[in-house]
Amino acid sequence: MRYQQTLHGRTYGFDGLVDLLAKATPMRSGDVLAGCAAHSDAERAAARWALADVPLPTFLTEHVVPPEADDVTRLILDSHDAQAFSEVSHLTVGGLREWLLGVASGPDPAPTLRRVGPGLTPEMVAAVSKLMRNQDLIAVAAATEVVTGFRTTLGLPGRLSTRLQPNHPTDDPAGVAAVVLDGLLMGSGDAVIGINPASDDPRTVARLLTLLDDVRVRYEIPTQSCVLTHVTTTLDLIAAGHPVDLVFQSIAGTQGANAGFGVELAMLAEAHDAARGLGRGTVGDNAMYFETGQGSALSAGAHLGTDGRPVDQQTLEARAYGVARAFDPFLVNTVVGFIGPEYLYDGKQIARAGLEDHFCGKLLGLPMGVDVCYTNHAEADQDDMDTLLTLLGVAGCTFVIAVPGADDVMLGYQSTSFHDALYARQVLGKRAAPEFEAWLAGLGLLDGDGGVRTVDPATSPLRALGRPA
C-alpha cells in the first residue's frame, strides 16, 4: 500500500509501511547508513502525519518483514492476543498515542496497560513511539509496571535495580571477586551479578559460574548470577550440573539477525524449559536474560523487510522484544550505545533511543533495563549518560548496568558506575529490590534513610571476598 501526505503544498509519498515507519523515525545515523532515513525534516514530519492516520489493524495484515521468510514475524502473529487488542483495535496510531497518554495520566493506569499490552504488536508500539516526544515516552513508561522474580523481585514501584558487572580482561577470579566486593558495598547487584567472559571456553565459564555461586551461598546474598556466554554453552553446562541461575542470550528482530548470533527460536525454548526445570529461584521462576541493541540487524546485514526495503533500526529493535516476551524473561536490557556511532551518532541520538527502547519494551510487558553506555569514538560523554540515567530513573526503568568507575576495561566502552546508581536512587527516592535491601540492612550497610552508608572494605562484613583464594 502506498501512503502519502501533503504538507505546505508539497505531497510526499511513501512506498508501503516499511518506508513510512522509516521516514517517520527521529534522525539517527544507522538509518542514514541503511539508506532509509527521511531526507529532510519536512519529509519526516509528513511521514508522521501519515503514520498517525494508519489504523492499528493494518499492522496485522501489512507486514514489515514477510512471515513466510521470517520466524520472528510468525512468532509475533501467532502470539498476538486478539482479546487484549479488542480494547484498542478501533484506534489509529495517533489515536493510540492519545489513549496511552490518557491512561497514563489517570488513576491506577498499570492494570489497564498490563491488560492491553499482549494485544499490541512490536510494530504498533514502535510506530506510536515515533509520534511521541521524550516526555510522552517517559510518562507512559513510568505508568507501566512489569514485575518479575527469581531470588529478588524486580519492577516494583519506587525501585531501581542494578546489574553488577564484574568483567575482567583475563577472567581472573581474584579480579572478578574484587569488583563484586566493590559493587556489593555500594548496594549494586540486586538484579544480577553478571559477567561478560573474555573467553567463551566452557571451562572458563564454569569456573566463573562456580565463583559467583560460592560467593552468593557463602554470604547468603539474595540475588542471581549469570555468565553471559552463548545459550548453547549454557545448555551444556546445565547438563553437566554446573550452578546456572539465568540463561543469557543476545537476540534481534529478524530471523537472519538471530542466525548471526547463532541462535534459533527453538533453541531459546529449550533453554527456557531447562532453566525453569532447575527450580533455583525462590520468589519466582523467570529465568531468561536477553540483551538487545538498535543496529544489530543492520550490522548483520539482516535488516531488509517487505519488497527488500531496509527496515529502520528502531522498529527492528522493537521486534526483538517480541522475541523476548515469548520466553517470560527475568531481565531484558538494551545496550543502547554499545554498537557505535555508525548506528547512534551522538548523545542526543543515544538518549532518544534509550527512552524509545525502554518505552517499547515495557509496554510490551518486559522487565526492561538499559545499559546507559557509549563507545569512545561516539560524540557523547558522561554528562550525556547522566542525563539519560536520570530520565530513565524517572521513567521507571527496571535496572541499569553498574561497573567500576563507569569504565568497562574488558569490553572497552563507557557505561554507568556503582556511584551513578547510588546517585539515581538518592535523587529520585529509589531503592533496591526488597529482598536485597533487607540483606544490606542485615549487614549494617544501610543508613537510617535506607541509603547505602560508607563502609571501610577492610572492616566490612564482606572483607574476605576480595582476597585471592
Side-chain angles (χ1 to χ4, degrees):
M1 180 176 176
R2 183 170 175 80
Y3 299 86
Q4 64 181 34
Q5 181 69 40
T6 300
L7 189 67
H8 301 306
R10 177 177 175 180
T11 299
Y12 295 86
F14 308 98
D15 293 325
L17 196 56
V18 170
D19 189 38
L20 181 62
L21 288 166
K23 296 296 195 300
T25 304
M27 173 67 178
R28 64 206 55 198
S29 53
D31 291 340
V32 174
L33 179 64
C36 64
H39 295 95
S40 66
D41 288 339
E43 184 181 30
R44 185 173 294 109
R48 289 174 178 170
W49 276 104
L51 181 60
D53 290 334
V54 175
L56 292 182
T58 302
F59 292 89
L60 300 176
T61 56
E62 187 176 350
H63 304 122
V64 170
V65 182
E68 58 272 16
D70 188 89
D71 59 5
V72 174
T73 302
R74 295 194 295 273
L75 175 66
I76 290 169
L77 295 174
D78 291 345
S79 59
H80 181 248
D81 188 328
Q83 182 175 352
F85 182 57
S86 64
E87 191 165 343
V88 294
S89 61
H90 61 289
L91 298 175
T92 61
V93 175
L96 178 61
R97 173 184 177 273
E98 299 304 312
W99 183 87
L100 288 169
L101 290 171
V103 170
S105 63
D108 198 21
T112 300
L113 296 172
R114 188 182 306 115
R115 182 176 66 247
V116 171
L120 300 175
T121 68
E123 292 87 350
M124 294 176 193
V125 172
V128 75
S129 76
K130 299 174 192 297
L131 307 183
M132 303 177 98
R133 290 173 56 186
N134 286 357
Q135 67 172 259
D136 300 337
L137 299 173
I138 293 169
V140 176
T144 308
E145 294 179 8
V146 181
V147 178
T148 58
F150 193 78
R151 292 194 191 96
T152 53
T153 306
L154 302 189
L156 295 170
R159 308 281 175 167
L160 175 62
S161 296
T162 60
R163 169 184 159 191
L164 199 172
Q165 184 167 294
N167 295 347
H168 191 278
T170 62
D171 294 324
D172 177 65
V176 169
V179 176
V180 171
L181 170 63
D182 192 24
L184 290 172
L185 289 176
M186 282 188 274
S188 283
D190 55 329
V192 65
I193 303 175
I195 303 174
N196 298 92
S199 168
D200 205 36
D201 177 73
R203 292 169 297 180
T204 299
V205 175
R207 184 170 65 250
L208 293 173
L209 280 171
T210 300
L211 167 65
L212 294 182
D213 200 57
D214 286 348
V215 168
R216 179 189 65 81
V217 172
R218 178 176 180 180
Y219 294 100
E220 300 180 321
I221 308 171
T223 190
Q224 33 286 320
S225 64
C226 184
V227 177
L228 283 68
T229 187
H230 193 269
V231 63
T232 53
T233 302
T234 305
L235 280 170
D236 290 342
L237 293 170
I238 289 175
H242 293 284
V244 173
D245 286 343
L246 306 181
V247 176
F248 169 83
Q249 183 55 48
S250 295
I251 57 173
T254 67
Q255 180 175 337
N258 284 323
F261 288 130
V263 65
E264 300 175 349
L265 297 183
M267 198 181 294
L268 298 178
E270 180 185 358
H272 177 241
D273 291 343
R276 293 186 69 174
L278 295 173
R280 290 174 61 86
T282 55
V283 299
D285 61 358
N286 303 107
M288 298 296 287
Y289 178 11
F290 295 117
E291 241 178 21
T292 68
Q294 287 195 29
S296 58
L298 174 57
S299 67
H303 61 293
L304 301 182
T306 299
D307 298 329
R309 293 183 175 277
V311 183
D312 70 273
Q313 65 184 38
Q314 190 258 335
T315 297
L316 291 179
E317 172 72 4
R319 282 170 52 90
Y321 306 151
V323 174
R325 74 172 173 179
F327 300 103
D328 201 18
F330 179 64
L331 301 170
V332 179
N333 73 258
T334 167
V335 281
V336 66
F338 181 74
I339 304 182
E342 300 85 359
Y343 306 95
L344 294 169
Y345 179 73
D346 57 15
K348 181 176 181 177
Q349 291 187 14
I350 291 171
R352 173 68 191 192
L355 294 176
E356 289 170 348
D357 293 352
H358 178 253
F359 162 84
C360 290
K362 205 171 179 189
L363 189 57
L364 289 168
L366 295 177
M368 201 67 197
V370 178
D371 189 349
V372 180
C373 65
Y374 64 101
T375 57
N376 287 310
H377 60 309
E379 292 294 323
D381 58 26
Q382 286 303 137
D383 286 338
D384 295 312
M385 300 305 103
D386 287 348
T387 300
L388 179 53
L389 173 63
T390 306
L391 293 174
L392 288 167
V394 174
C397 185
T398 300
F399 73 104
V400 294
I401 310 299
V403 303
D407 184 5
D408 191 305
V409 295
M410 193 281 282
L411 291 175
Y413 79 118
Q414 307 304 307
S415 185
T416 42
S417 71
F418 306 134
H419 299 84
D420 295 333
L422 287 178
Y423 145 78
R425 284 176 178 165
Q426 179 182 3
V427 300
L428 298 174
K430 302 283 187 176
R431 295 156 58 187
E435 301 86 357
F436 193 81
E437 183 180 56
W439 177 76
L440 290 172
L443 291 178
L445 296 178
L446 297 185
D447 61 25
D449 297 322
V452 177
R453 67 181 182 87
T454 302
V455 176
D456 182 352
T459 60
S460 80
L462 307 175
R463 56 188 175 274
L465 181 53
R467 297 174 184 168

